[in-house]
Amino acid sequence: RRRVRVPPGKGCRTRTRLAMVKAPTISKPSKTYLAEKKKKYAAPETAPEPTTPTVVEWTGDVKDFDGVTFEMYPAVGPCDGIHGCCVHSMTYFLTYGTYLCIPPSFVITYNDEGTGGLGVDATFGGCFKMSPIPCFNGCGYGPLAFVSPFELQDVEGSESDKKWVGSGQICAGGCCPCLTNTGDWGISSAAEDGSTPEKPSKIVPMSNAWPPCLHGKVAWALTQKGVGPPTKMPTVEEMTRD
């Protein structure tokens, strides 16, 4: 019987040929290259200075505060009677408890005439949009947003101070006519402009948007964003005057 040698790649038999491949030589990076990389990714020699929040001080013109963001803090402690319990319960309800670490905020705007304005962009937890409708709270965009319309009145005995008074619905789309802030008030003055922790502004609820246990008493203290929590809280007389 004769055997036939089949060349590689022909017929039914194949032969595998292995080739020895020499590994490439990897050169070490130069010292100059390493020095440039080290310099590029090195930490700065001097740390950047922290940015100081820009605050606005009262000069008698309310329009200076157009676009200013205010942060809200309960003006009383949670154990300060029924009023304190009610303030913290409402704040907890509106912010889902996030006020304990991040204060809720809003942006105040004024009309061209300087006779009134609107509190907009009510936010809690740093990014969740507030809504007066409980099932949409946290998604308060467009017509569901929490807004605070107000008009300005003169303060008796003062030439420059102004009193803002709530004047309408707090649901941006007007779909909840029973929810208004009519009668809620606060003072805009040099002593209450929120520019320092010692000069907080305030909110005194009087409307049907709030429970009766809050009516006629200072419920929230306001400071401009970045200022921090207020260190001066309302006195007993301020807590009960209307």
Side-chain angles (χ1 to χ4, degrees):
R1 187 174 179 182
R2 187 178 179 182
R3 294 184 178 181
V4 179
R5 182 182 178 85
V6 180
K10 302 292 184 179
C12 60
R13 295 181 181 179
T14 60
R15 183 177 298 171
T16 303
R17 294 182 178 181
L18 298 177
M20 298 298 293
V21 180
K22 185 178 180 181
T25 303
I26 302 176
S27 59
K28 294 183 178 180
S30 64
K31 293 184 178 180
T32 303
Y33 175 82
L34 293 175
E36 290 178 354
K37 285 294 183 181
K38 184 177 180 180
K39 182 178 180 180
K40 181 178 179 180
Y41 296 106
E45 296 180 359
T46 56
E49 296 182 0
T51 56
T52 304
T54 302
V55 298
V56 180
E57 294 188 7
W58 177 259
T59 60
D61 186 359
V62 292
K63 295 191 69 175
D64 291 342
F65 290 82
D66 188 45
V68 173
T69 300
F70 282 87
E71 294 178 329
M72 299 173 58
Y73 299 86
V76 290
C79 298
D80 291 340
I82 296 178
H83 176 60
C85 179
C86 195
V87 170
H88 281 264
S89 296
M90 285 301 301
T91 311
Y92 194 100
F93 170 75
L94 289 172
T95 67
Y96 301 137
T98 59
Y99 81 101
L100 296 171
C101 53
I102 302 175
S105 64
F106 68 94
V107 177
I108 192 167
T109 63
Y110 290 90
N111 57 26
D112 294 336
E113 296 77 17
T115 57
L118 190 68
V120 298
D121 197 24
T123 306
F124 68 90
C127 61
F128 300 101
K129 300 305 176 182
M130 197 177 293
S131 173
I133 305 175
C135 54
F136 290 105
N137 195 28
C139 301
Y141 294 93
L144 303 174
F146 196 123
V147 295
S148 302
F150 61 89
E151 59 185 20
L152 293 174
Q153 301 176 0
D154 293 331
V155 175
E156 185 177 355
S158 175
E159 296 181 358
S160 61
D161 295 354
K162 295 292 182 180
K163 178 180 181 180
W164 64 264
V165 182
S167 60
Q169 288 193 48
I170 59 176
C171 193
C175 53
C176 295
C178 60
L179 287 176
T180 69
N181 67 346
T182 305
D184 296 347
W185 64 274
I187 300 294
S188 297
S189 66
E192 299 182 24
D193 60 8
S195 61
T196 68
E198 295 78 23
K199 299 194 299 181
S201 185
K202 62 177 178 284
I203 295 178
V204 181
M206 294 293 294
S207 67
N208 58 9
W210 312 107
C213 59
L214 295 180
H215 288 185
K217 302 176 183 179
V218 180
W220 293 280
L222 312 175
T223 57
Q224 297 178 38
K225 186 174 182 180
V227 170
T231 57
K232 178 185 176 183
M233 290 300 183
T235 62
V236 175
E237 291 75 15
E238 292 174 323
M239 291 290 291
T240 56
R241 73 183 184 186
D242 49 41

